[in-house]
């Protein structure tokens, strides 16, 4: 049997979740290999990429505390200090501000490719981390003492195999774990737009009967002017989204402007329009003998609250915390109790968030007048403040009772023991 120090962890998938997990485990002194089928991630330049993510305070601290944040290009990171959510069908509106949350900012918006490139750059400084690109994994089989992983002509051995290979995870299939796919009945259209009025560092979302539309503040592009670019995520019924993807740019801009009630003045489409089906999933289990799933491989939620990758980063941090502690006790990186604790700490949290997203989607699809009245009255009540508003603000910031130490601000991490 290999000693704890020589044990080997293979992570399939070097996206945002797998990348962070690799850095965390390598920083803890463990031997890690990342295998990813995609090319080497490079720092973006020029126009904003279409795929972006909002990051919570918890994700920010994870990236700060691991040195990944310092690898980002600050000019391409946009903090936002306000959020405005309203119902197109009524008078209900909720506004959150960083000030009332006692925080400097409510979140940050950055391109997914930018974060992956920063993770890759950080990984280069960790000698016990071997991050291979263009390395698609073709199969994995549980052997007597660990996992045999097939990648090209190579057969690698892992004491712990981690599936961070996204929604269509093959690692999940190879482990015989059910992916629990469902259909939200929504597709999501993403694009970059220019706006006549500055976004003012505010993330906006309007709920319509056909689905939610988010206007997320992008970093300033000198060609567009100060704060005059947003990334949009427009979710809705597939026919509606197809129509929005195929209509001409002028009609698209007009429909968009009308849907957000001219909030940012005239809008211009600056990019192509890409569409993604939204198929929420939840793996029946996150762990098996010598194996764990993280991020979208374990759960996919509706993007309406911008929480998907934030949950994945917390999975990575909790798994790394449990594995590190097991190794420090000499139990090994694939200790069954450590893996079970990881599942216990994350699965419930992620299920709550997934169900909340389903609930929001269903609530805003309701046409019945009493329900519409109730939902608008509810939004106005939340907006007045109090514990319910505090609950939503804390969720938006990624604050929860069981945060891993590295996801807390340093002064809070010290107090937690
Ligand atoms: C429209 C839209 C908007 C969203 N907005 C937000 C948001 O604002 N905030 C937020 O938190 N979340 C958001 N999300 C969710 C977020 O994008 C995902 O949760 C996140 O990308 C998942 O990251 P991941 O690393 O788990 O998986 P992925 O990003 O899917 O990465 C998987 C990696 O595995 C690799 N891979 C796959 N198979 C193999 C194999 N066999 N061998 C080797 N490598 C393999 C791939 O190349 C890839 O690099 C959004 C999602 C959508 C659809």
């Amino acid at each position: 049997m290999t000693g704890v120090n020589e044990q080997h962890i293979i992570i399939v998938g070097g996206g945002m979740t797998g990348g962070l997990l690799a850095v965390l485990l390598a920083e803890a002194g463990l031997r890690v290999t990342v295998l990813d089928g995609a090319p080497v991630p490079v720092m973006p330049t020029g126009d904003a990429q279409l795929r972006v993510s909002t990051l919570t305070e918890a994700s920010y601290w994870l990236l700060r505390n691991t040195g990944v944040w310092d690898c980002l290009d600050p000019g391409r990171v946009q903090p936002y200090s306000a959020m405005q959510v309203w119902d197109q069908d009524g008078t209900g509106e909720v506004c959150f501000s960083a000030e009332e949350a006692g925080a400097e900012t409510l979140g940050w918006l950055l391109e997914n490719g930018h974060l992956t490139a920063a993770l890759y750059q950080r990984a280069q400084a960790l000698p016990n981390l071997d991050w291979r690109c263009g390395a698609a994994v073709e199969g994995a089989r549980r052997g007597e003492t660990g996992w045999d992983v097939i990648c090209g002509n190579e057969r690698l051995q892992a004491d712990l195999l981690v599936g961070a290979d996204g929604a269509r995870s093959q690692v999940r299939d190879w482990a015989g774990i059910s992916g629990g796919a469902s259909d939200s009945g929504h597709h999501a259209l993403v694009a970059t737009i220019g706006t006549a009025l500055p976004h003012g560092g505010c993330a906006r979302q309007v709920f319509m009967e056909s689905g939610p539309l988010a206007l997320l503040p992008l970093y300033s592009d000198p060609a567009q002017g100060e704060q005059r670019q947003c990334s949009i995520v427009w979710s809705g019924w597939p026919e509606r989204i197809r129509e929005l993807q195929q209509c001409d740019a002028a009609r698209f801009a007009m429909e968009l402007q009308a849907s957000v009630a001219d909030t940012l003045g005239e809008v211009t489409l600056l990019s192509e329009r890409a569409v993604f089906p939204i198929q929420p999933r939840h793996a029946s289990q996150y762990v098996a003998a010598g194996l764990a799933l993280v991020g979208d491989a374990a759960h996919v939620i509706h993007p309406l609250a911008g929480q998907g990758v934030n949950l994945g980063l917390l999975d990575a941090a909790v798994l790394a915390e449990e594995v590190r502690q097991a190794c420090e006790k000499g139990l090994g990186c694939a200790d069954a109790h450590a893996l079970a604790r990881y599942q216990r700490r994350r699965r419930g949290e992620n299920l709550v968030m997934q169900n909340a997203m389903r609930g929001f989607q269903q609530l805003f699809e309701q046409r019945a007048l009493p329900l519409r009245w109730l939902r608008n009255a509810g939004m106005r009540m939340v907006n007045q403040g109090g514990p319910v508003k505090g609950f939503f603000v804390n969720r938006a910031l990624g604050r929860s009772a069981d945060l891993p130490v590295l996801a807390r601000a340093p002064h809070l991490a010290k107090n937690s023991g």
Side-chain angles (χ1 to χ4, degrees), residues 131-393:
W131 184 326
R132 306 187 196 172
C133 301
V137 174
E138 286 127 36
R141 206 175 53 84
R142 176 85 186 148
E144 268 177 27
T145 54
W147 284 83
D148 292 328
V149 177
I150 300 160
C151 182
N153 298 329
E154 263 190 284
R155 171 164 279 176
L156 294 97
Q157 286 240 305
D159 297 283
L160 174 65
L161 176 65
V162 182
D165 49 342
R168 292 169 185 274
S169 170
Q170 287 178 287
V171 173
R172 192 179 58 216
D173 295 344
W174 294 326
I177 297 175
S178 149
S182 59
D183 185 4
S184 68
H186 275 182
H187 282 191
L189 179 149
V190 297
T192 308
I193 57 161
T195 60
L197 300 174
H199 54 62
C202 178
R204 297 173 170 83
Q205 176 138 275
V206 54
F207 280 94
M208 299 176 279
E209 185 201 349
S210 60
L213 162 61
L215 263 65
L216 307 170
L218 262 178
Y219 61 88
S220 294
D221 176 350
Q224 291 298 319
E226 271 294 288
Q227 301 199 332
R228 282 184 163 80
Q229 267 200 123
C230 286
S231 176
I232 64 157
V233 183
W234 197 334
S235 313
W237 304 319
E239 325 74 74
R240 171 70 178 140
I241 295 298
R242 207 168 308 120
E243 194 180 286
L244 288 167
Q245 187 184 29
Q246 288 167 1
C247 67
D248 64 50
R251 162 131 178 259
F252 177 80
M254 203 179 69
E255 294 229 18
L256 177 57
Q257 209 174 311
S259 298
V260 295
D262 286 325
T263 314
L264 292 175
E266 196 176 327
V267 307
T268 326
L269 179 65
L270 298 176
S271 71
E272 57 168 316
R273 288 160 275 181
V275 171
F276 302 88
I278 301 174
Q279 291 169 326
R281 291 169 188 267
H282 218 119
S284 56
Q285 54 197 77
Y286 287 10
V287 297
L291 180 135
L293 302 174
V294 290
D296 275 22
H299 47 77
V300 178
I301 66 169
H302 196 297
L304 67 87
Q307 287 291 330
V309 75
N310 292 291
L311 300 182
L313 298 179
L314 284 174
D315 293 348
V318 170
L319 179 61
E321 204 168 85
E322 294 295 343
V323 167
R324 182 179 50 77
Q325 282 170 12
C327 289
E328 280 168 5
K329 290 181 195 150
L331 298 170
C333 64
D335 176 55
H337 295 293
L339 296 184
R341 260 195 311 276
Y342 156 64
Q343 167 162 289
R344 211 165 41 240
R345 287 177 66 187
R346 292 306 302 153
R347 197 158 185 275
E349 276 279 310
N350 294 335
L351 264 174
V352 167
M353 189 61 86
Q354 186 175 51
N355 288 334
M357 295 309 106
R358 193 173 297 133
F360 275 123
Q361 185 187 340
Q362 285 167 357
L363 180 66
F364 284 93
E365 277 172 356
Q366 299 301 325
R367 297 298 302 146
L369 205 58
L371 280 173
R372 280 164 51 192
W373 181 85
L374 257 180
R375 141 185 121 202
N376 277 278
M379 286 178 93
R380 285 195 298 273
M381 192 188 79
V382 170
N383 200 36
Q384 280 163 13
V388 185
K389 191 169 191 185
F391 171 82
F392 282 113
V393 172

Side-chain angles (χ1 to χ4, degrees), residues 81-143:
S81 52
M83 275 163 74
Q84 184 190 7
V85 181
W86 72 98
D87 183 349
Q88 194 190 42
D89 254 3
T91 51
E93 183 182 70
V94 184
C95 297
F96 302 106
S97 74
E99 203 181 358
E100 63 186 323
E104 272 177 36
T105 172
L106 285 178
W108 293 259
L109 188 83
L110 60 142
E111 298 146 292
N112 294 0
H114 184 192
L115 178 52
T116 313
L119 286 160
Y120 184 76
Q121 192 170 310
R122 174 74 188 95
Q124 302 316 300
L126 297 165
N128 45 332
L129 169 52
D130 176 12
W131 184 326
R132 306 187 196 172
C133 301
V137 174
E138 286 127 36
R141 206 175 53 84
R142 176 85 186 148

Side-chain angles (χ1 to χ4, degrees), residues 21-60:
L21 178 64
V23 167
L24 287 164
L25 292 170
E27 277 193 332
L30 298 159
R31 187 159 75 86
V32 184
T33 302
V34 173
L35 302 170
D36 197 295
V40 174
V42 287
M43 279 288 163
T45 52
D47 293 345
Q49 294 178 346
L50 280 189
R51 294 300 306 272
V52 297
S53 290
T54 50
L55 294 185
T56 60
E57 182 186 70
S59 296
Y60 165 79

